[in-house]
Amino acid sequence: MGATIGVAGATGALGQEIVRALEDVPWEVDDVVPLARASSKIPFVTFRDREIAVDDVRDEAFDRLDLLVLALPPDAAREVGEAAVRAGTPVVDASGALHSDAVPLGIPWVNPEALLGQQRGVLAVPSPEAILAATVLGPLQRAGLDGATEATFMLPASRFGRRGIEELSAQVVALFNAGTPPRSVFADGLAFDVLPSAGEAVGQGWSALEQRVSRELHALVELEDVPVLCTAVPVFSGLSMELRIEPSRRPVPDLVRQILVDAGVQVPAGDAPRELPRPRRVEGMPFPSAGRIRVDDRGEVLRIWASMDNLRASATVVVGLAGLLLRPA
């Protein structure tokens, strides 16, 4: 008999991607229960060619679910997640609301050892930025190519949810028609522009998102004090990253390329612009892609460019963690 999976936040950009990903899991899913806040304007989601009515998350009896996925904004997710935990329902938290020392962050292909034997039945999904960076850094670290690291992320509008996608689209249309663009999600605008910081500075000039990604990378691949820069760029989806590493061993690009390929990272054979990963090219791909693997003139600093479909990759992590929680003890 298959599982019944609740998806809280099923009408959002990530939630809808999670519902799609549940169609292809290797374990059996009998039913998906889409849940959303009362403010959601989307009445149905599609699962396996069926339209399923979206229920109010406040009215859900969590004990009838085999697992709950949290894809709500953090402020709304905590109460829902805690209610599910009290009901004894396993939870995969993609909101960031429940992560703590007792609730580990997990990427099945990066830190599976941290996920085994989890007692509380709750696993947390890292931010898309941490998923991308840890997928590249994890195998390099295991190969002894770790050292001082700096990551610069280029965030898409989808990183800010469905409202971010819709607002970027509306800004583009308004500016083309000499109108006044809406500026709610992106108060300073995003269309035809770049935001040098994703959020206000909260400490020593770093944004809350930058600090979060640094903490998550430390938890996932044991990197301390990783400088992280997050900037928003005018693309609808697709996360990109420029990574700078000063490994203790002299890096060899061909060896680095092979390490990443062996770890499941997609790496093109060459560095021609038409071959390199970029947001549109990685759309729909469940795992990160990397390219432009190069060293500086001294042969000491390694630089890597990487991209991934942030929604699809996050959904892939969600269903991987769900499979771990649902497997027989």
Side-chain angles (χ1 to χ4, degrees):
M1 186 173 178
T4 297
I5 310 295
V7 181
T11 60
L14 176 58
Q16 290 192 332
E17 192 65 51
I18 291 168
V19 172
R20 283 191 286 269
L22 286 168
E23 296 181 353
D24 301 321
V25 293
W27 35 275
E28 188 176 353
V29 177
D30 275 352
D31 201 11
V32 165
V33 179
L35 305 167
R37 292 178 293 179
S39 57
S40 174
K41 296 181 175 59
I42 299 177
F44 300 94
V45 300
T46 301
F47 178 71
R48 292 177 180 163
D49 299 322
R50 291 187 297 128
E51 281 196 338
I52 305 175
V54 177
D55 293 335
D56 190 329
V57 69
R58 295 176 302 179
D59 299 332
E60 179 58 31
F62 297 113
D63 56 0
R64 76 183 181 103
L65 303 175
D66 294 302
L67 182 137
L68 175 69
V69 176
L70 281 179
L72 293 164
D75 57 341
R78 180 173 297 279
E79 181 179 354
V80 174
E82 290 176 348
V85 171
R86 288 195 297 272
T89 302
V91 176
V92 175
D93 176 25
S95 72
L98 300 184
H99 172 52
S100 66
D101 290 341
V103 178
L105 288 171
I107 304 174
W109 55 87
V110 173
N111 65 334
E113 67 286 345
L115 309 176
L116 300 176
Q118 211 284 326
Q119 298 299 313
R120 291 193 61 198
V122 186
L123 293 173
V125 179
S127 64
E129 296 78 23
I131 294 172
L132 176 57
T135 299
V136 175
L137 288 169
L140 295 179
Q141 184 186 62
R142 290 191 292 273
L145 289 173
D146 55 343
T149 302
E150 181 176 327
T152 300
F153 296 96
M154 285 132 277
L155 313 181
S158 59
R159 182 63 179 84
F160 303 86
R162 175 170 296 281
R163 291 176 60 239
I165 298 173
E166 293 173 348
E167 183 165 297
L168 175 58
S169 179
Q171 286 181 2
V172 170
V173 172
L175 290 172
F176 263 124
N177 291 281
T180 301
R183 292 185 174 178
S184 174
V185 179
F186 307 110
D188 297 312
L190 180 59
F192 309 109
D193 206 350
V194 173
L195 305 184
S197 176
E200 298 292 331
V202 294
Q204 297 183 328
W206 300 100
S207 72
L209 177 57
E210 290 163 344
Q211 292 180 333
R212 175 186 172 184
V213 176
S214 292
R215 290 194 302 269
E216 290 181 339
L217 284 175
H218 173 54
L220 290 163
V221 292
E222 298 182 355
L223 291 174
E224 296 189 56
D225 301 323
V226 183
V228 168
L229 174 65
C230 294
T231 184
V233 297
V235 297
F236 287 95
S237 65
L239 175 70
S240 296
M241 169 187 72
E242 175 71 10
L243 197 61
R244 180 185 186 277
I245 311 170
E246 296 183 31
S248 55
R249 295 166 50 192
R250 185 175 291 267
V252 178
D254 286 344
L255 175 60
V256 170
R257 181 178 287 105
Q258 191 59 53
I259 290 169
L260 294 178
V261 169
D262 290 346
V265 179
Q266 299 294 314
V267 182
D271 282 337
R274 66 180 180 275
E275 297 179 274
L276 293 173
R278 59 181 189 266
R280 289 292 297 274
R281 179 159 287 155
V282 301
E283 189 172 330
M285 296 173 62
F287 301 106
S289 298
R292 297 204 73 202
I293 300 168
R294 59 211 189 276
V295 297
D296 66 350
D297 291 341
R298 297 173 298 166
E300 297 174 356
V301 177
L302 174 65
R303 290 184 180 272
I304 301 172
W305 168 265
S307 292
M308 77 176 191
D309 183 328
N310 52 301
L311 296 176
R312 185 64 180 178
S314 294
T316 300
V317 173
V318 166
V319 299
L321 298 182
L324 288 175
L325 288 176
L326 288 171
R327 69 182 181 179

